Amino acid sequence: DRLNPGQQQPESDHGFKSEGSEMGLQSNKHFRNAKGWFSYDLKNPAKDARILRLTYYGKDTGREFDIYLNDVKLASETFKGEKGDKFFDVDYELPKAVTQQGKDKLTLRFEAKSGSRTADVYYIRLLR
């Protein structure tokens, strides 16, 4: 599955929920971020997803947040703008606690740490 955050139809198709989130545009690419949290339901019909690929922007600074998949923490991130004026991908390996669930729907949640916000998220993709 894949989706472009910050666009109405893809978000609607993926069960978008949020508290304190915003969408925007950077270099003609849509994004979503939050002071609180936001989530999507990703389709995994063959139950074979092993990697979550996220696209971020390198100049995001002062961003501290956690990423969860089916309530299992995938990562804690701190962005300080050190990647420069470019988009970049990060691949997160799905933990066994998620893959062993054998679910055809995975709920992805981004949650800002207190006093911060999530990074701008531009693209989400599940990979085998």
Side-chain angles (χ1 to χ4, degrees):
D1 199 8
R2 67 183 114 206
L3 78 112
N4 296 315
Q7 295 181 333
Q8 184 177 1
Q9 193 61 51
E11 288 190 331
S12 175
D13 291 347
H14 288 87
F16 170 71
K17 295 178 184 147
S18 76
E19 184 177 292
S21 76
E22 303 175 328
M23 58 183 180
L25 198 62
Q26 168 71 31
S27 301
N28 290 321
K29 292 184 181 225
H30 292 268
F31 67 83
R32 167 86 48 199
N33 67 37
K35 292 180 193 174
W37 60 271
F38 62 100
S39 70
Y40 301 103
D41 292 330
L42 303 175
K43 299 168 193 84
N44 184 29
K47 302 173 186 166
D48 60 353
R50 296 294 178 260
I51 301 286
L52 172 70
R53 178 171 291 162
L54 302 176
T55 302
Y56 301 111
Y57 181 60
K59 282 190 172 181
D60 273 355
T61 188
R63 310 292 180 102
E64 295 184 43
F65 61 102
D66 294 324
I67 304 166
Y68 296 89
L69 200 58
N70 284 6
D71 297 321
V72 175
K73 188 186 282 190
L74 281 184
S76 289
E77 293 283 14
T78 300
F79 285 14
K80 298 179 181 177
E82 66 274 1
K83 299 257 187 205
D85 187 21
K86 64 179 181 176
F87 295 96
F88 67 98
D89 294 335
V90 176
D91 287 352
Y92 300 92
E93 187 173 335
L94 276 56
K96 286 184 181 181
V98 172
T99 59
Q100 289 177 344
Q101 291 174 357
K103 296 196 175 182
D104 61 1
K105 180 179 87 170
L106 303 174
T107 300
L108 174 63
R109 180 178 168 111
F110 298 88
E111 192 171 308
K113 293 194 176 176
S114 181
S116 188
R117 68 183 317 113
T118 69
D120 298 345
V121 180
Y122 292 85
Y123 188 66
I124 299 169
R125 184 164 185 190
L126 280 177
L127 302 167
R128 288 179 220 162

